[in-house]
Structure formats: structure tokens, C-alpha cells
């Protein structure tokens, strides 16, 4: 296990509680977040910049909607990874044209027995929120290593000065982290990316227990 989770000590990070929460939430996630303008816009940027038939990795693919579905419809070779087996099952049903695997972001590698190969583009929408702050730079470097030189990353985070804070989410408790935007930019650049575009959205989920949030979307290139 220590090989698969290089940089995380002797074993895998314990995210069983996070996975269980999203297993239980299931389809209700899309009901609570019905409008995903930021994700759609970032996906459209990626689709315009990538060559036809490019390999794309959707990290934290959730239900597969809308990101993996729109990328498959654009003609890309899509692999999705998610920690929640329930989400992997939903995504496989929603987007049969993609391949979905249950993986922790900490275990993602291009090479080795479970290697995924390298990708022309990666989408990572709100997935790094679920990590403690000290893990986020390592996760970004892992994504960097999965991209071909010059490969593209569409990344989103919620702007918040938080580190592994417990919050209520659709009837469950999850733990989240975040950055204020200048620190997020610096963290992304330090991981080896050039930021070529940026958007921000104020978003109020269709849920009574989830507060409004400010979403940051960064269009990045591996350098």
C-alpha cells in the first residue's frame, strides 16, 4: 500500500467517511446542484483546446453529469475516477461511453500495476475540497504527472479559508478545505501549472442546509 500512496506515510489516507457520505447522497447530489454553469464553461474550454479523440481524466467524476457525459459527446476518450463506489455505479449508468474506476486521488499514477497512463486533459471539479490542506499540493503534483507535456487541467475550488473543517452537506457531515484565491493561484503555480484563464461564480445550491458559495475555476496548462 505504501507504494501506491507515495508521500502519505505507511498507508492510505482514511477517507471512508467521505466515501460513505457520497454513497448515501447518490443521485441527490445533482438535485441539490442542478445548475453547473462553471463546470460546463470549463469543460467547453477544454474541449476547444484539446485535439480530436484526446484522452481526458475526470477526477472526482461523481454521477458523471455533466462533465464526463459532455466530454464523451465531444468525442474524447474519457476515464473517470471517484472514491465513492455508489458514484462510480451511477456514472457508469449515466455515461456508458466512458470508463469509471474507484480510486482515491492520492493513488493516481501514470505508470505501474494500476497506472492510468498519461492524459491530454484533466478535469478536477471540487474534488480537492475533500482533502486536508497539506494533501492538496501533493494531489496537484500527481495531476501534473498524469498530464502529457503541455496538457491541460480544468480545476475548480470553493473560495474559503478552511482546513479539513466539518460541514453539514445534504444530511451528512463531510470535511472540506479551501483557499482564498491568491493562495490558490500560488499553490497551483507551485505544482507546475501556468494559469491561462480564470472565472468565478456565486452559487446558491438548491438545498436548505448548504450555504451559498463562491466558486473559482482555473484553466491551467502543465509547464
Amino acid at each position: 500500500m505504501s507504494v501506491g500512496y507515495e508521500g502519505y506515510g505507511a498507508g492510505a489516507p482514511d477517507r471512508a467517511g467521505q466515501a460513505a457520505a457520497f454513497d448515501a447522497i447518490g443521485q441527490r447530489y445533482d438535485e441539490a446542484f442542478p445548475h453547473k454553469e462553471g463546470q460546463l464553461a470549463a469543460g467547453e474550454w477544454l474541449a476547444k483546446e484539446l485535439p480530436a479523440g484526446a484522452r481526458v481524466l475526470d477526477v472526482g467524476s461523481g454521477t458523471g453529469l455533466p462533465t464526463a457525459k459532455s466530454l464523451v459527446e465531444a468525442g474524447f476518450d474519457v476515464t473517470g475516477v471517484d472514491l465513492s463506489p455508489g458514484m462510480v455505479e451511477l456514472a457508469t449508468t449515466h455515461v456508458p461511453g466512458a470508463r469509471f474506476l474507484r480510486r482515491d486521488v492520492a493513488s493516481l499514477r501514470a505508470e505501474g500495476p494500476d497506472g492510468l497512463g498519461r492524459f491530454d486533459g484533466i478535469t478536477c471539479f471540487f474534488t480537492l475540497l475533500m482533502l486536508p490542506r497539506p494533501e492538496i499540493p501533493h494531489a496537484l503534483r500527481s495531476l501534473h504527472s498524469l498530464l502529457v507535456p503541455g496538457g491541460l487541467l480544468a480545476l475548480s475550488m470553493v473560495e474559503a479559508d478552511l482546513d479539513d473543517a466539518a460541514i453539514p452537506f445534504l444530511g451528512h457531515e463531510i470535511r472540506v478545505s479551501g483557499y482564498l484565491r491568491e493562495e490558490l493561484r500560488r499553490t497551483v503555480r507551485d505544482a507546475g501549472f501556468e494559469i491561462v484563464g480564470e472565472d468565478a461564480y456565486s452559487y446558491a445550491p438548491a438545498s436548505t442546509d448548504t450555504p451559498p458559495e463562491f466558486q473559482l475555476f482555473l484553466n491551467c496548462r502543465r509547464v
Side-chain angles (χ1 to χ4, degrees):
M1 185 70 74
S2 59
V3 174
Y5 291 84
E6 180 182 352
Y8 288 81
D14 182 5
R15 283 193 262 276
Q18 301 279 64
F22 280 93
D23 282 346
I25 289 166
Q27 191 68 58
R28 289 191 298 128
Y29 181 86
D30 287 328
E31 295 169 4
F33 294 86
H35 306 295
K36 300 184 176 71
E37 289 89 348
Q39 285 180 234
L40 290 169
E44 288 171 4
W45 165 76
L46 200 67
K48 286 191 296 185
E49 295 292 325
L50 290 175
R55 295 192 76 216
V56 182
L57 178 65
D58 186 13
V59 178
S61 46
T63 66
L65 305 176
T67 302
K69 185 174 186 291
S70 63
L71 291 169
V72 166
E73 289 174 348
F76 298 116
D77 178 1
V78 178
T79 298
V81 293
D82 201 285
L83 184 64
S84 161
M87 289 296 188
V88 169
E89 184 177 352
L90 280 171
T92 300
T93 300
H94 290 157
V95 194
R99 175 178 65 143
F100 294 95
L101 304 169
R102 185 188 178 206
R103 297 284 177 88
D104 188 307
V105 65
S107 72
L108 299 179
R109 299 289 182 272
E111 300 173 351
D114 295 321
L116 299 174
R118 286 187 168 78
F119 295 85
D120 304 288
I122 294 176
T123 58
C124 186
F125 295 140
F126 307 112
T127 304
L128 303 188
L129 285 174
M130 306 300 160
L131 306 181
R133 261 197 193 177
E135 292 187 25
I136 293 174
H138 173 79
L140 284 166
R141 290 192 296 271
S142 294
L143 299 184
H144 185 277
S145 72
L146 286 161
L147 284 167
V148 300
L152 303 178
L153 168 66
L155 174 71
S156 68
M157 292 280 284
V158 171
E159 184 173 27
D161 188 11
L162 296 172
D163 182 12
D164 201 31
I167 64 166
F169 187 77
L170 301 180
H172 299 269
E173 182 179 276
I174 61 171
R175 306 193 70 85
V176 299
S177 299
Y179 296 103
L180 300 181
R181 67 184 62 195
E182 189 51 48
E183 188 175 3
L184 175 62
R185 294 181 189 123
R186 183 169 59 251
T187 302
V188 169
R189 291 184 179 116
D190 287 348
F193 291 99
E194 174 191 9
I195 299 171
V196 298
E198 180 177 329
D199 286 303
Y201 296 81
S202 179
Y203 191 92
S207 168
T208 58
D209 69 344
T210 306
E213 59 191 32
F214 207 73
Q215 301 177 343
L216 302 177
F217 286 82
L218 301 182
N219 299 335
C220 310
R221 186 182 304 276
R222 172 181 164 160
V223 295

